[in-house]
């Protein structure tokens, strides 16, 4: 049983016309100008066809005749055709001029639309780039340098210069070798020279003026 479901999509109706009238409606490539009043012929042929309505046919026919490939086919020397592909006379110049003007306007409009769309896309991309904030780098915690140990200052000791006659062996004394006196024990005394063994184990010989008590 044949389907009676109506076609509502314009592309589907055009596909139906390509199949039903292949000598008139050309699906691909260069088209041929249609007979003036072809819509009436089309409506009569499809009067008993429940798939399409006159309104949808008119919309589909308008889509077909306003396409660029159809307008390009409306040129000098071209013959109009009917539903069966039969020639119906040459085109008039005013129809050719109208078709070429319509084609030019349609192409310029499409070009302007593409340019505007590209400009909008570029502007949108630039705005998105400008609004994109760089990701913050995580703060790197720097380890604080270890506090230097505070040197404990040795308690101030009031030392007095030694007198040679008062010195004796095995006596603990302070030897002035640098800024800080070093403690030790007297090993031997010879005239002005005093031999001292320091607490560090080192034995030194110093003049009596370097001995402090």
């Amino acid at each position: 049983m044949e389907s009676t479901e109506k076609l509502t999509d314009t592309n589907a109706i055009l596909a139906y016309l390509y199949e039903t009238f292949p000598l008139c409606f050309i699906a691909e490539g260069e088209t041929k100008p249609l007979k003036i009043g072809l819509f009436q012929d089309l409506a009569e042929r499809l009067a008993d066809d429940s798939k399409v309505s006159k309104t949808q046919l008119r919309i589909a026919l308008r889509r077909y005749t306003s396409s660029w490939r159809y307008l390009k086919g409306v040129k000098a020397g071209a013959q109009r055709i009917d539903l069966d592909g039969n020639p119906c006379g040459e085109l008039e110049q005013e129809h050719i001029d109208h078709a070429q003007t319509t084609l030019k306007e349609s192409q310029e409009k499409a070009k302007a639309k593409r340019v505007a769309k590209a400009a909008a896309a570029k502007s949108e991309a630039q705005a998105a780039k400008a609004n994109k904030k760089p990701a913050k780098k995580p703060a790197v915690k720097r380890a604080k340098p270890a506090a230097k140990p505070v040197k404990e200052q040795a308690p101030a000791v009031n030392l007095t210069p030694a007198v040679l006659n008062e010195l004796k062996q095995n006596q603990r004394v302070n030897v002035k070798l640098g800024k800080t006196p070093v403690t030790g024990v007297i090993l031997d005394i010879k005239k002005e020279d005093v031999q001292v063994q320091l607490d560090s184990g080192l034995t030194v010989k110093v003049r009596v003026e370097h001995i402090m008590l």
Side-chain angles (χ1 to χ4, degrees):
M1 183 175 181
E2 189 176 348
S3 173
T4 58
E5 183 180 355
K6 280 190 178 296
L7 299 175
T8 56
D9 180 70
T10 304
N11 290 330
I13 294 173
L14 283 173
Y16 179 66
L17 293 179
Y18 297 148
E19 181 182 355
T20 308
F21 306 100
L23 298 177
C24 179
F25 295 99
I26 301 172
E28 295 180 357
E30 185 176 345
T31 63
K32 294 181 180 180
L34 301 179
K35 170 188 173 183
I36 295 176
L38 184 80
F39 173 74
Q40 190 60 38
D41 295 345
L42 189 62
E44 290 176 1
R45 286 279 194 100
L46 298 176
D48 297 329
D49 194 325
S50 59
K51 284 188 177 182
V52 293
S53 65
K54 285 187 177 182
T55 301
Q56 293 298 333
L57 277 176
R58 193 182 298 277
I59 294 173
L61 191 61
R62 189 180 301 120
R63 168 85 66 85
Y64 184 80
T65 56
S66 62
S67 66
W68 289 2
R69 68 190 185 97
Y70 180 85
L71 293 173
K72 288 177 182 178
V74 181
K75 56 189 177 182
Q79 292 277 336
R80 290 185 181 276
I81 57 173
D82 61 12
L83 289 175
D84 299 314
N86 299 315
C88 296
E90 290 189 9
L91 293 166
E92 295 183 12
Q93 187 60 43
E94 62 178 311
H95 295 161
I96 296 173
D97 294 341
H98 176 73
Q100 298 309 309
T101 300
T102 303
L103 175 63
K104 184 178 179 181
E105 291 176 351
S106 179
Q107 289 175 333
E108 288 177 349
K109 187 181 294 185
K111 182 180 178 181
K113 190 175 181 179
R114 287 196 303 270
V115 171
K117 187 176 180 180
K122 184 178 180 181
S123 178
E124 186 177 343
Q126 289 176 340
K129 186 177 180 181
N131 293 333
K132 187 177 181 182
K133 296 180 180 179
K136 291 184 178 180
K137 294 182 179 180
V140 179
K141 293 184 179 180
R142 296 184 179 180
K144 294 182 179 179
K148 294 182 179 180
V150 179
K151 292 183 179 180
E152 295 183 2
Q153 296 182 349
V157 179
N158 294 323
L159 302 176
T160 58
V163 178
L164 182 61
N165 296 336
E166 297 177 356
L167 297 178
K168 55 186 178 181
Q169 289 184 346
N170 297 325
Q171 182 181 357
R172 290 194 65 78
V173 294
N174 293 283
V175 182
K176 189 177 181 184
L177 296 177
K179 293 182 180 180
T180 304
V182 181
T183 57
V185 177
I186 295 176
L187 297 178
D188 191 18
I189 301 173
K190 291 182 180 180
K191 296 183 181 181
E192 296 293 327
D193 294 330
V194 181
Q195 188 176 11
V196 180
Q197 184 176 15
L198 304 177
D199 290 349
S200 63
L202 183 66
T203 301
V204 296
K205 184 182 287 186
V206 296
R207 302 285 292 178
V208 68
E209 56 264 27
H210 294 290
I211 303 296
M212 311 291 287
L213 299 176

